[in-house]
Amino acid sequence: MKLIRLAEIDASMIGLVGGKAAGLGEMIRAGERVPDGFCVTVEAYASGQVPQEELARAYERLGGGKVAVRSSATAEDLPHASFAGQQDTYLGVEGQDALAEAVRRCWDSLHTERAVAYRANVGIEDAAMAVVVQRMVDPERAGVLFTANPITGRRTQMVVDAAEGLGTAIVDGTVAPDHYEFDDDAPQTGWLEELRAAGLRLREHFGSPQDVEWALDRDGVLWLLQSRPVTTLFPAPPATADTRLYLEFGHIQGMLRPMTPMGVSLLRTGAGLWFEAAGAKVDRRDPLPRMVAIGGRLYFDLTDFLRSKVMRDRLGTSLEVYGPRVQGAVRRMLDDPRFAPRPGLPFDVRAVVKGVARIAPRAVAGVIAALAWPDAARGRAYRGVRRIRRLTVPPGPDASAAERLRWVAEDSHRPIMTLDMQGIVWPLTAGIVAGTVPAALLDGVASEEELDTVLGGMPYNVTTEMDLALWRLAVSAREHRELFAGTPAPELAARYRDGDLPDIGLAQFLERYGLRAAAEIDVGMPRWAEDPAPLFATIANYLRVGDPEQAPDRRFERAADRAERTLAALARRATRGRPVRGRVAVFLMRRSRELTGLRELGKFAWLIPLRAAREQLLLAGAELFERPDDIMFLDLAEARQAARGADLREVIAARRAAYERELRRPGVPGALLSDGTDVEALAPAVPAGDGVLTGMAGAAGRATGRARVIRDPAGAYIEPGEILVAPTTDPGWTPLFLTTAGLVTETGSPVAHGPTVAREYGIPAVICVRDATREIRTGQLITIDGAAGTVRIEEE
């Protein structure tokens, strides 16, 4: 079938007619007013010849005259890829020869550089082209209707842009359109009311927010020219009866990528076990009711705290770790009548008192003991890690998928989810206290930069030790520099698995650190032991270090030396001016250097059962599905249903596709309303400084260097002396820190992995710089001030 009338098309025919034609056919079937027309199908495109005779007859049946000829690729107007403006449209085409030529040009536009690049960016390998031909509407005015606000994400607000004449002027940006915004339930007048009603119908029909092109002809008749999904919106939160405020907390620990459904499920399960250990009553079906997965990211439902008369005024200060943007967004919501204060607390006071009574005595005793005897405390923490490793015993090789899944769900996290996590928690907490209290005790005596310097070169940090161990592998690889620096990382990983690489000590490294990865708290993420390619990329990066003084181990030593000298100077100054508080502060700073490095140990210990759970899940997945990692796109309950015979292949396919789409999302809202509103987008625009981007202090110090913008650490490299600019960072990124001169991130908090490790390496860091990866380009000369929280783009 080479030609088909639009009225005969429905959504199931997208492979034949493309996205635009399928949408038009659905609109006609739904009773909307759409200009009459037909589609030149993919079959005609595949033949390579324009069907001249059929095209001429269809054109005559349409009445001749002027027509619009528009591309309708099979990869166009999809829920995750609009392809807006990527293929060609020709308006006012008249005559059979001109029509045939316009069809050819639409076909050719499938292969333009911009269309090919767009497909690659959204993960579409190939597409075919159909072409829509419709009667031209002679518009008095035309434009675009969004049934959700495309800027704020609000799903209950419509946005209309309109201009006189053809709507292409709006799309091209050649006119300033008339702009209208109104709520779904706010009646309008005249043609705006017709648009509002049509928008409600189309959103209901297609089941998602729509981007609608429309035209109002000279007789005042409204025509709908196109309806496609709005593809840029962040996924909406679950439907709720009232307005809720959600706070994204993954970015605090440097994780903006989506989690797999299994990753979220296992996180909930583990947390539920810890709450049970703490004496709390937990619903096993939903152990963390305030934690909501939206777009694969973890959000906390802050609503009840925001509405609490007792707690709402304290929220601003408590959210400092989220950075100024998110903190400001939440403060704005305090004035929103939807979050008006109410009496009461957002939790059961008796349960909290009971929990505190159970935990507090152990916590106080544990923290005091750790401060008094730090060496013994570290010993207990390390023994706890070994105990967790010893107690994590998965099923044997003959276990069934059902047995493996039962172990993952019920037993895998029991060794670590004890009240004190096998003795790790109290030394870790003591280190955090010792690292933060001196700032208050020495207010006016010590600068923030000095206090940051004291935290440099911190020993006993398992992540720092890992990075330095990786540097030693690079040192071992120097005699094979050409091999390790000149071979692609995936090829080196394959050769390592085949036993075809020189021994540089990687096996020993993986034995200790192979359980780690980027976004490692997600059980769905491959570990370095499974795919060591990122490690080979980092080794190649380290081999670029030519100056011995820039060697990571030397830089770490210098940071430690500066810390000790600064601490000694502060001790003299503080004890002279404030004898009692000064001595307490100095004591705590010294204890901080003995204990704060343990901060990473709790998470590292958690990775032991997490890795074991992953291994069991993949074994179960291999038994149940075509691809073992299909199981990561189910939650634990669903996986156990699959083990009992449930067919969940369609669920898996849909979730995998959604996950892969979310991996490409450039930004994640830090604060989100239940109607989809990105609260930060409501803030008035901040005037841009003269080449200066403002963020938040992360690690003190100043550096000038070329920017290296990196969005994914896998396979990335950074030249010695460059400044790393990234959306966020977690421990999987930190090997890059060893050669960078500084760090800039779009999100984070002062206690997140990125700035913490930066302080320990003695490199400056600026965090929470909005759109840093878009405002800064690789190769630009920038100066960062980690104390002031600024990034200056230098003129050259």
Side-chain angles (χ1 to χ4, degrees):
M1 183 185 301
K2 294 186 177 181
L3 267 72
I4 182 173
R5 291 184 60 224
L6 292 179
E8 298 172 0
I9 294 172
D10 61 37
S12 68
M13 303 167 71
I14 190 169
L16 177 67
V17 299
K20 188 178 277 92
L24 290 169
E26 282 292 323
M27 291 164 68
I28 293 170
R29 286 173 176 267
E32 302 296 342
R33 188 183 293 112
V34 175
D36 193 13
F38 58 89
C39 176
V40 183
T41 69
V42 167
E43 289 185 10
Y45 169 77
S47 74
Q49 298 292 325
V50 174
Q52 298 272 11
E53 293 183 6
E54 293 178 64
L55 188 63
R57 287 196 297 270
Y59 178 57
E60 288 177 6
R61 283 196 297 270
L62 204 56
K66 293 182 179 180
V67 293
V69 183
R70 313 173 73 192
S71 65
S72 181
T74 53
E76 193 170 348
D77 292 0
L78 302 179
H80 62 284
S82 70
F83 276 79
Q86 300 305 312
Q87 276 100 212
D88 288 348
T89 290
Y90 299 94
L91 303 179
V93 176
E94 189 169 10
Q96 296 178 9
D97 292 341
L99 175 57
E101 179 61 21
V103 170
R104 287 192 194 92
R105 290 184 179 180
C106 282
W107 286 355
D108 292 343
S109 71
L110 185 67
H111 303 292
T112 61
E113 185 176 342
R114 70 175 186 269
V116 172
Y118 186 97
R119 286 198 297 274
N121 186 56
V122 298
I124 296 172
E125 294 183 2
D126 200 7
M129 178 67 80
V131 177
V132 169
V133 179
Q134 288 177 282
R135 292 180 62 87
M136 275 291 295
V137 175
D138 180 20
E140 177 183 301
R141 67 179 56 177
V144 181
L145 160 71
F146 291 94
T147 69
N149 191 311
I151 305 300
T152 67
R154 183 178 168 191
R155 300 315 202 266
T156 57
Q157 185 177 55
M158 295 192 188
V159 175
V160 174
D161 282 338
E164 292 183 2
L166 294 170
T168 51
I170 295 176
V171 178
D172 295 342
T174 56
V175 300
D178 297 326
H179 185 78
Y180 307 88
E181 295 182 5
F182 45 85
D183 292 351
D184 289 354
D185 56 1
Q188 304 299 300
T189 58
W191 58 272
L192 277 177
E193 174 58 21
E194 286 191 73
L195 270 180
R196 185 186 76 89
L200 291 174
R201 293 193 302 270
L202 289 171
R203 189 170 61 198
E204 176 69 21
H205 179 80
F206 287 106
S208 66
Q210 296 292 297
D211 167 0
V212 183
E213 291 183 19
W214 56 271
L216 198 69
D217 70 17
R218 303 290 173 181
D219 297 323
V221 177
L222 178 67
W223 296 87
L224 302 183
L225 310 178
Q226 177 174 298
S227 186
R228 62 189 177 201
V230 182
T231 60
T232 57
L233 298 175
F234 190 73
T240 54
D242 62 346
T243 302
R244 315 292 294 179
L245 175 64
Y246 301 100
L247 210 60
E248 200 275 331
F249 57 73
H251 76 270
I252 286 187
Q253 292 303 317
M255 184 170 172
L256 284 183
R257 66 180 292 142
M259 291 188 72
T260 59
M262 186 60 74
V264 174
S265 181
L266 198 55
L267 181 66
R268 289 180 182 276
T269 299
L273 289 172
W274 187 87
F275 281 116
E276 286 182 351
K281 291 183 179 179
V282 174
D283 182 350
R284 286 286 186 90
R285 294 167 299 180
D286 189 10
L288 294 177
R290 282 196 170 97
M291 188 180 83
V292 182
I294 307 172
R297 283 78 176 187
L298 301 178
Y299 282 79
F300 180 79
D301 186 345
L302 195 68
T303 311
D304 295 336
F305 294 84
L306 198 64
R307 289 175 175 158
S308 168
K309 281 185 177 180
V310 179
M311 303 198 67
R312 69 194 326 257
D313 292 334
R314 297 177 174 85
L315 285 178
T317 302
S318 65
L319 294 176
E320 284 183 357
V321 294
Y322 275 87
R325 296 194 342 249
V326 174
Q327 188 182 27
V330 173
R331 281 178 168 157
R332 281 192 294 278
M333 289 297 100
L334 291 172
D335 298 324
D336 191 307
R338 293 172 293 181
F339 299 102
R342 301 174 182 176
L345 289 166
F347 45 75
D348 185 336
V349 176
R350 289 173 299 179
V352 172
V353 170
K354 181 180 176 182
V356 170
R358 179 181 175 87
I359 295 172
R362 303 186 193 190
V364 171
V367 169
I368 290 175
L371 292 173
W373 302 285
D375 292 343
R378 285 198 311 275
R380 284 194 299 275
Y382 292 142
R383 286 195 296 276
V385 175
R386 292 193 293 271
R387 190 179 305 116
I388 291 166
R389 199 181 297 274
R390 189 173 62 251
L391 294 175
T392 303
V393 183
D398 297 328
S400 67
E403 290 168 332
R404 297 184 193 283
L405 292 170
R406 187 211 60 77
W407 181 83
V408 171
E410 299 177 20
D411 298 334
S412 64
H413 278 50
R414 290 196 182 279
I416 192 167
M417 292 304 171
T418 64
L419 185 60
D420 65 348
M421 287 179 60
Q422 304 291 1
I424 298 172
V425 167
W426 312 135
L428 184 157
T429 304
I432 293 173
V433 170
T436 55
V437 170
L441 295 175
L442 298 180
D443 184 30
V445 175
S447 68
E448 289 186 15
E449 186 165 354
E450 288 175 312
L451 293 169
D452 268 357
T453 301
V454 170
L455 298 176
M458 192 75 72
Y460 313 119
N461 185 318
V462 67
T463 298
T464 304
E465 291 168 352
M466 174 193 76
D467 293 340
L468 292 173
L470 189 54
W471 163 252
R472 290 192 290 273
L473 292 187
V475 172
S476 299
R478 282 176 179 167
E479 60 181 298
H480 310 285
R481 181 186 300 273
E482 185 175 338
L483 170 65
F484 286 100
T487 307
E491 183 180 333
L492 288 171
R495 291 181 61 176
Y496 172 76
R497 286 189 288 266
D498 293 339
D500 186 29
L501 279 184
D503 183 10
I504 59 172
L506 183 60
Q508 294 83 352
F509 179 91
L510 290 176
E511 186 176 349
R512 176 163 173 75
Y513 300 112
L515 73 178
R516 307 210 75 167
E520 59 196 6
I521 64 169
D522 181 0
V523 74
M525 289 297 294
R527 311 288 114 173
W528 285 341
E530 299 170 54
D531 179 15
L535 301 178
F536 285 113
T538 301
I539 289 170
N541 186 40
Y542 290 169
L543 289 173
R544 294 182 174 89
V545 177
D547 181 357
E549 288 304 304
Q550 293 303 311
D553 50 356
R554 287 289 299 121
R555 294 177 67 182
F556 187 77
E557 290 168 8
R558 287 199 299 272
D561 184 58
R562 282 196 302 271
E564 292 294 348
R565 291 199 312 272
T566 304
L567 201 161
L570 285 177
R572 291 190 295 271
R573 191 191 315 158
T575 52
R576 280 199 307 269
R578 298 177 181 175
V580 177
R581 284 199 293 174
R583 284 182 170 80
V584 173
V586 171
F587 169 80
L588 289 174
M589 284 190 288
R590 295 198 183 282
R591 285 298 184 260
S592 171
R593 293 199 59 78
E594 296 186 80
L595 293 170
T596 301
L598 296 177
R599 167 189 62 249
E600 297 279 330
L601 195 62
K603 182 182 176 186
F604 182 77
W606 179 27
L607 296 178
I608 296 169
L610 203 63
R611 179 190 186 180
R614 175 174 171 81
E615 291 170 348
Q616 294 303 307
L617 287 167
L618 290 174
L619 288 169
E623 181 179 330
L624 297 174
F625 308 112
E626 185 176 342
R627 296 171 59 175
D629 71 336
D630 277 352
I631 200 168
M632 300 303 175
F633 297 95
L634 301 174
D635 61 30
L636 279 167
E638 292 166 337
R640 298 179 84 172
Q641 291 172 14
R644 293 192 293 269
D647 184 357
L648 298 174
R649 286 175 295 182
E650 289 187 6
V651 172
I652 290 168
R655 289 182 183 168
R656 184 186 286 275
Y659 174 81
E660 291 174 353
R661 289 197 299 271
E662 286 302 313
L663 284 175
R664 295 187 289 271
R665 186 173 295 280
V668 177
L672 194 65
L673 295 182
S674 50
D675 65 5
T677 301
D678 177 352
V679 182
E680 288 184 65
L682 301 177
V686 178
D690 186 17
V692 176
L693 306 177
T694 302
M696 184 179 184
R702 282 159 293 281
T704 297
R706 299 289 173 185
R708 174 70 65 173
V709 179
I710 298 175
R711 293 181 174 83
D712 188 332
Y717 74 91
I718 186 166
E719 296 289 347
E722 290 183 329
I723 295 173
L724 172 61
V725 181
T728 185
T729 59
D730 72 357
W733 287 76
T734 58
L736 293 172
F737 288 17
L738 292 185
T739 54
T740 187
L743 171 69
V744 178
T745 64
E746 294 178 331
T747 64
S749 83
V751 298
H753 295 285
T756 298
V757 176
R759 287 192 292 270
E760 294 180 3
Y761 290 158
I763 61 175
V766 180
I767 60 177
C768 297
V769 180
R770 187 163 194 172
D771 298 328
T773 60
R774 292 191 284 277
E775 296 287 340
I776 302 170
R777 299 188 307 276
T778 292
Q780 281 185 313
L781 188 67
I782 62 174
T783 296
I784 68 172
D785 187 326
T790 59
V791 180
R792 176 180 294 279
I793 301 175
E794 304 288 358
E795 294 184 6
E796 296 186 77

